[in-house]
Amino acid sequence: MSALTDLIYAGSNAVAGLTEGAVNDAIAKHGADTPVAFPDTAYFFPTIYAATGVKVKTLGDLPACVDVLKSLITNEDDIGKALNAGLATAVGAEIIEGLKYLDGANPYENESGIGFVPDPIIRSLGVPLVTGDIPGVAVVLGKADKAEDVAAVVKDYQSKGILTFLVGDCIEQAAEQGVKMGLELRVVPLGHDVTSVIHVVTVAIRAALIFGNVQTGDLAALLAYTKDRVPAFVNTFGPLNEVVVSAGAGAIALGFPVVVDQDIGDLQVPGALEYEGDHGETVKRSLALRNIHIKVKELPIPVAFAAAFEGEIIRKADMKVEFWSSKNTTCELVTMREAGQVEDHKITLVGPDIDSGEVEYPIATYIEVYGAKMQKDFESVIERKIHAWFNYLEGVMHTGQRNQIRIRISKDAWEKGLRMRHFGEVLYYMIMDEFAAVVDKCQVTLVTDPDEAARILKEEATPAYNARDDRLASMTDESVDQFYTCTLCQSFAPSHVCVVTPERLGLCGAVSWLDAKATKELNDAGPSQPISKEGCTDPVKGYYPDVDRMVHEASHGALEHVSLYSIMEDPMTSCGCFECICGIEPMSNGVIIVNREYKGMTPTGMTFGELASMTGGGVQTPGFMGHGRHFIASHKFAAAEGGPARIVWMPKELKDDVAPRLNQTAKEMYGIDNFCDMIGDETIAEDAETLLTFLTEKGHPALSMEPLM
Ligand code: SF4
Ligand code: ZN
């Protein structure tokens, strides 16, 4: 037998023994009927569920899984079979980790790792993964000889936007070297035991179920999905034992190459298991193995610039200066000009720089662009990116938009020399990079002078915001002559298509009709293609021949018909990264809406995660539909079923958030005042009966509408 298969089997057999022992002990101690579950998932023990279709709910379900696990370990001298044994190790790790959550315990509460990753987080990663904002997923495991080495690798991944999961002592090593961690910073510590690596494996596996419409029990489709669509890889640091090797075999079976830093000589399998002794080369080698190309942005600024810093929070104690609309004038404006009015790459500061000794400053960020193909509608599309770009600066935090913003600059960034003109450079370079197709020239004026900032706000920005709001308000599905597809999510959900209209944004909430229109202009053959509105066959349900044609084509034949405005009949498909999901609530003859952030129960008896698992992967599920937050107050929401008057329940946070617009819509459509007061939430009812009593008291319109079913 080869040395490699030997090692894999040794590890798998060891894990199988441990797993069997742990399951037997747990049953002996707690009883076979004791429930066991990972938190906040609709996919049970995801690896077992995906591979076999078995729904583990109690300890008594586990012995059969252990038998399956053992059957995967054939001890035959064949590398393919040995990789299956690696999958057995994954199943064993899942069971061992799952047992830690017995009795609703949170075993990671006092750990430096986070353990199991809940479904909503995976859904939230959909968009950054498809846009390439997160270009890949790294798993860093073990303990390096030198802490600096592992920290340097992790920071390098972070600066490239790679989502990095840490397992083992490298967590402390990275922390001690100053690596900032957290999901929002794209460095996620999982746990210390090697079994905690399963928590990243199940992310990939659930991605296949959530986005890929992979059917449970179809192991071949599962492995094809993870290999082709999840751009993950593994780096191990320090000595390898057989358990690590067999876990690595599991990774390879899923299609994730492994780079080790120990010389394993002829155990190497080119393309799958490779040795790289020089830690300075680890990142390059790993990215090459997964064919991940990173566009390097060389900006003339003294701090790092990467999407990974987007979620960085700067506390008051760490802050050097602040621009905040509550204290001073602030505004951001992108405006289009004639060719002669814009001097390319001119960056001007009007007022003091941020080293004048003050802590608080006003700011007007005034950007003038010219482009032969520039359109007025694209101003706001560019302007909204300011938020992301400023956040990409390490040591800068930006919130809000337009004239309601807050920017903080950290002491650290300031000490590195970050000043106003660098913000101008960032804006210039990013606009010229991302909007090259429509912007030919760009000049940036940054104003910290209070009078001039106030003038720009009053004379330039406010009128522009008002004009835009008027345009948006007048923009209806009827007032435009085409809609757009968005197929960005197809890299994860191969047959999913969003149809984006003025009144219905993409279900991720990130793509409005204007965005899609700009995308088409920026990338002619890209993910957004126009759909003609000609020959509408049903304006109420929203049936258009060209929608059907485009959806049929873009879904590669998976879909025949899609209605734009019905939940019950040919509803739009969902990829998985939707902000909200709506579902019918039969007892009240209405629909409930749940947002991804809501963790509690709903009157349908299902959580967000459970509702979400009813649809996704590009399939149509009448009665359940993913959508964006903004769609809730649209006149077109469930228009075929009577419109937003069908909404009977939402989590309170969501209801409060949409209330101003939804109340206005309900007033316009039905003449109802304060409609949101008639809608239930978790403080009113978490079950259908209580909800019905409440709705009856309030005289909710859904009760007297046509039966939904
Ligand atoms: Fe994905 Fe639809 Fe959003 Fe496009 S609009 S990114 S397809 S969810
Ligand atoms: Zn999506």
Side-chain angles (χ1 to χ4, degrees):
M1 195 174 293
S2 90
L4 179 60
T5 50
D6 251 354
L7 267 173
I8 296 173
Y9 285 127
S12 308
N13 283 310
V15 172
L18 280 175
T19 310
E20 187 164 33
V23 169
N24 292 340
D25 286 353
I27 293 178
K29 192 162 164 214
H30 302 276
D33 294 338
T34 304
V36 57
F38 286 108
D40 227 345
T41 182
Y43 302 96
F44 311 95
F45 278 38
T47 313
I48 293 170
Y49 181 54
T52 66
V54 170
K55 300 175 176 174
V56 172
K57 291 178 179 166
T58 64
L59 289 176
D61 296 327
L62 289 172
C65 301
V66 174
D67 290 341
V68 173
L69 178 170
K70 289 202 281 191
S71 74
L72 285 168
I73 310 172
T74 61
N75 297 312
E76 284 172 72
D77 188 12
D78 171 290
I79 186 71
K81 298 213 162 105
L83 293 182
N84 280 341
L87 291 175
T89 299
V91 171
E94 181 166 89
I95 294 174
I96 291 171
E97 286 289 313
L99 290 174
K100 294 184 182 173
Y101 286 90
L102 208 59
D103 284 336
N106 178 5
Y108 285 89
E109 200 170 3
N110 299 312
E111 263 255 23
S112 44
I114 65 162
F116 190 80
V117 179
D119 291 355
I121 292 181
I122 300 176
R123 293 177 183 279
S124 72
L125 291 172
V127 171
L129 279 163
V130 297
T131 54
D133 204 21
I134 297 178
V137 178
V139 182
V140 173
L141 187 153
K143 180 176 184 180
D145 269 353
K146 294 198 210 104
E148 308 87 276
D149 286 10
V150 74
V153 165
V154 172
K155 280 187 184 167
D156 197 0
Y157 286 138
Q158 191 174 41
S159 74
K160 293 179 161 64
I162 301 273
L163 178 61
T164 307
F165 291 94
L166 306 180
V167 175
D169 291 340
C170 59
I171 296 176
E172 273 68 36
Q173 290 189 312
E176 151 202 315
Q177 293 290 314
V179 174
K180 294 176 201 152
M181 298 187 199
L183 182 69
E184 59 307 334
L185 294 166
R186 310 256 170 99
V187 178
V188 185
L190 284 180
H192 282 98
D193 297 344
V194 69
T195 46
S196 66
V197 73
I198 193 64
H199 299 310
V200 54
V201 171
T202 75
V203 169
I205 286 175
R206 279 176 286 162
L209 300 175
I210 291 175
F211 300 108
N213 192 28
V214 167
Q215 301 302 307
T216 59
D218 189 347
L219 186 61
L222 176 71
L223 298 182
Y225 185 93
T226 53
K227 174 170 181 288
D228 296 340
R229 299 190 185 269
V230 181
F233 55 86
V234 182
N235 293 163
T236 71
F237 285 81
L240 302 162
N241 60 34
E242 64 258 26
V243 172
V244 171
V245 172
S246 73
I252 293 167
L254 291 160
F256 308 153
V258 179
V259 175
V260 301
D261 72 347
Q262 307 289 305
D263 192 351
I264 49 168
D266 56 8
L267 292 188
Q268 291 188 72
V269 182
L273 176 63
E274 296 193 0
Y275 160 61
E276 178 54 75
D278 178 358
H279 291 135
E281 292 294 312
T282 306
V283 171
K284 212 164 92 192
R285 180 82 166 251
S286 304
L287 297 181
L289 277 172
R290 234 26 278 238
N291 223 344
I292 298 170
H293 302 281
I294 311 272
K295 217 162 84 181
V296 223
K297 296 193 178 75
E298 297 278 356
L299 297 173
I301 53 174
V303 296
F305 182 83
F309 299 112
E310 196 172 359
E312 191 185 13
I313 292 181
I314 294 167
R315 289 170 221 295
K316 199 153 189 168
D318 303 323
M319 158 192 116
K320 181 77 182 176
V321 295
E322 183 173 54
F323 310 89
W324 187 19
S325 46
S326 297
K327 298 274 182 74
N328 285 292
T329 303
T330 62
C331 65
E332 293 173 342
L333 183 71
V334 173
T335 185
M336 69 185 272
R337 291 270 183 253
E338 298 301 325
Q341 295 173 304
V342 181
E343 185 182 324
D344 191 38
H345 203 173
K346 181 178 168 193
I347 294 168
T348 315
L349 173 64
V350 180
D353 206 336
I354 49 176
D355 47 14
S356 72
E358 296 294 321
V359 176
E360 287 161 348
Y361 296 84
I363 189 166
T365 303
Y366 185 61
I367 303 167
E368 293 159 282
V369 297
Y370 161 77
K373 287 179 145 178
M374 180 67 194
Q375 297 182 25
K376 200 87 193 142
D377 274 348
F378 302 160
E379 289 176 345
S380 62
V381 175
I382 301 176
E383 196 179 291
R384 266 196 300 129
K385 299 281 313 203
I386 298 174
H387 168 69
W389 294 332
F390 279 5
N391 272 322
Y392 288 1
L393 285 155
E394 186 175 16
V396 176
M397 179 178 88
H398 181 288
T399 58
Q401 55 163 335
R402 290 189 170 183
N403 60 337
Q404 293 298 321
I405 58 168
R406 183 173 196 162
I407 305 172
R408 279 185 170 176
I409 298 171
S410 75
K411 288 179 181 151
D412 198 34
W414 190 90
E415 268 146 31
K416 285 182 180 147
L418 186 72
R419 295 295 180 270
M420 290 312 290
R421 82 162 279 111
H422 300 121
F423 287 88
E425 294 287 8
V426 163
L427 293 169
Y428 175 77
Y429 278 94
M430 294 311 290
I431 289 173
M432 296 312 275
D433 181 47
E434 289 191 15
F435 294 92
V438 294
V439 175
D440 303 330
K441 295 203 283 180
C442 168
Q443 76 181 27
V444 181
T445 309
L446 296 156
V447 181
T448 55
D449 175 79
D451 296 335
E452 179 60 5
R455 188 198 65 79
I456 290 182
L457 173 63
K458 178 158 178 272
E459 290 175 18
E460 306 270 352
T462 306
Y465 301 153
N466 290 340
R468 265 186 222 158
D469 287 344
D470 290 347
R471 159 110 175 105
L472 279 177
S474 70
M475 229 166 55
T476 60
D477 289 4
E478 289 73 30
S479 75
V480 298
D481 49 19
Q482 50 195 16
F483 302 146
Y484 291 93
T485 57
C486 182
T487 53
L488 255 186
C489 282
Q490 289 202 347
S491 44
F492 287 107
S495 59
H496 171 71
V497 190
C498 275
V499 178
V500 181
T501 76
E503 291 177 82
R504 178 170 193 170
L505 78 175
L507 55 82
C508 57
V511 179
S512 70
W513 183 83
L514 282 181
D515 294 320
K517 185 178 167 200
T519 299
K520 167 68 183 160
E521 206 59 53
L522 294 170
N523 180 359
D524 194 45
S528 286
Q529 295 299 321
I531 302 177
S532 152
K533 286 172 58 191
E534 302 253 310
C536 176
T537 52
D538 186 335
V540 177
K541 290 180 182 158
Y543 280 109
Y544 295 83
D546 209 33
V547 167
D548 283 349
R549 186 184 65 81
M550 292 292 280
V551 163
H552 185 76
E553 203 174 275
S555 70
H556 316 289
L559 297 172
E560 290 290 334
H561 303 286
V562 161
S563 73
L564 298 188
Y565 311 129
S566 176
I567 296 173
M568 303 302 292
E569 196 180 303
D570 301 325
M572 211 178 283
T573 61
S574 302
C575 41
C577 59
F578 37 83
E579 287 187 301
C580 302
I581 183 162
C582 65
I584 51 173
E585 201 295 283
M587 201 180 265
S588 57
N589 196 33
V591 304
I592 66 146
I593 303 176
V594 200
N595 54 309
R596 207 160 53 201
E597 295 78 12
Y598 178 70
K599 293 194 164 45
M601 187 41 73
T602 75
T604 58
M606 290 187 271
T607 60
F608 171 83
E610 287 160 342
L611 281 161
S613 70
M614 303 288 293
T615 181
V619 292
Q620 290 174 310
T621 319
F624 298 92
M625 190 181 72
H627 58 85
R629 264 183 186 239
H630 201 77
F631 186 50
I632 297 170
S634 164
H635 287 69
K636 299 292 195 291
F637 180 86
E641 286 81 31
R646 283 285 181 188
I647 303 172
V648 292
W649 191 93
M650 281 188 263
K652 188 157 184 348
E653 180 274 321
L654 180 65
K655 186 167 78 170
D656 291 346
D657 182 44
V658 301
R661 286 181 57 242
L662 182 54
N663 282 338
Q664 191 190 335
T665 303
K667 178 82 182 159
E668 285 162 13
M669 291 179 74
Y670 318 105
I672 299 176
D673 286 308
N674 300 320
F675 174 54
C676 287
D677 294 349
M678 299 177 163
I679 300 175
D681 62 41
E682 73 277 21
T683 67
I684 295 162
E686 283 185 328
D687 65 280
E689 286 83 8
T690 318
L691 177 63
L692 184 60
T693 312
F694 168 81
L695 299 171
T696 312
E697 260 168 41
K698 293 280 173 187
H700 192 289
L703 299 175
S704 52
M705 289 166 88
E706 249 180 67
L708 260 181
M709 304 200 296

